[in-house]
Amino acid sequence: MAQSSLQSRASTVVLADVVKVLEELYPLSYAEEWDHPGLIVGGLGWPVSRVFCAVDPTVEVVEEAIRAGAQLLICHHPLFFRPVHEVGGRGFRGAIVTRLMEAHCGLWVGHTNADAAVRGVAQAAADLLGLTGQRPLEPIQVDPSDWHAMHGESGFAVGLGRVGRLPAPIRFGDFVERVAGLLPRTELGVQAAGEPDAGISTVAILPGSGDSMFEQVRASGVDVYVTSDLRHHPATDAYQQARYEAELRARAGGDGAVRPMLVNTPHSAIESLWFAYAGQDIPKAIEEETGVHVDLRVIDHSTDPWTFSVK
C-alpha cells in the first residue's frame, strides 16, 4: 500500500484514511451487483483510534461498541439491504444512525466484497477447516493492474466461496462435529444431510446464504457443501438428486457415494470466522499505511436472532 501523508504525524488517523485501507483489503469492486458495502455512517474527518468489529450492526452491538469508546464499527452485514427513504426515529435503523452520529462513531460494511477477497470471509472459514488446493466456488474477474497491486505474484484467485481438499479423509459425522466446534454456540446449532459413516475428502464452503449455488457445487464434484440458510425445498431437491445420481452410478458399477452431502450452519456464526484474519489484517494495514496503531477489538458473542429452541 502507498504511504499516507499521515505517517509523518504518527499520532492520529482519520476515517477517510481507514476507509481507504479497508477498501484496499476488501475492494468494493468485488461486491455483487445488488450489494452496496462501504462507508455507511461517518464524517471523513472524524478521528479514529479505537475500532470494533462485529458480524451484525444490531442495536446491542452498536451500544456495546459506543460504550467502549469505539470511533468506528466494522460489520459484515449491511445496515441497509434495500434502498430506504428515511432514517428517522420510527425504526431501529434510524435510531442506529442517530446513535452513531451522536457518538461520532463511523460504520463501515464489508459484505460480499469481503466474502470474495483474499483472507476474506470464505478463505478464513476454508483455512480454519484446513482445506488445501483452494479455488473459488464462483470466481470473479478483476482488473490485472489491481490484481498486481493487491496480490503481487500470490496467484490467489478471488471469488465467492472456496473449494478444497481436507488434509486427510474423514467420516462425515466427524467432519460435522469439526465444523460445529469452530463456530460460536447458537441455539439452532448445525444440521447435516448425509450418512455419518460416509468418508469425505473434498469440500465446498460458502459462508452465508448458499442455496442458490447448488449448480456450481454439483459441478465442482465435492463430497460436502457447507453453507447457511438452507431452505426446505432447495435442500431437499439437492440431496434427493445427489442420492438418485449415486444410485445410478452404483447400478452402472461405479462410485455409489452420495455427493454433495450438506452441512447447514448458523449464518452469522460461520461468517464470524472472518475476524480470525480481519482482526489481524486491518490494524496491521492501517499502521503500514498511516504509521498509526489503532486498537481493534472483536465483539464475538452470537448475533444469531434465535434465543431458544424446543426439541
Side-chain angles (χ1 to χ4, degrees), residues 131-162:
L131 299 188
T132 61
Q134 292 180 33
R135 59 180 174 84
L137 179 60
E138 185 173 76
I140 60 175
Q141 298 297 317
V142 296
D143 183 273
S145 62
D146 292 342
W147 176 263
H148 182 76
M150 278 293 300
H151 313 300
E153 304 301 326
S154 67
F156 188 101
V158 296
L160 295 178
R162 306 302 292 173

Side-chain angles (χ1 to χ4, degrees), residues 11 29 88 102 225 233 253 255 309:
S11 60
S29 62
E102 289 174 344
Y225 181 35
H233 293 296
D255 175 14
S309 60

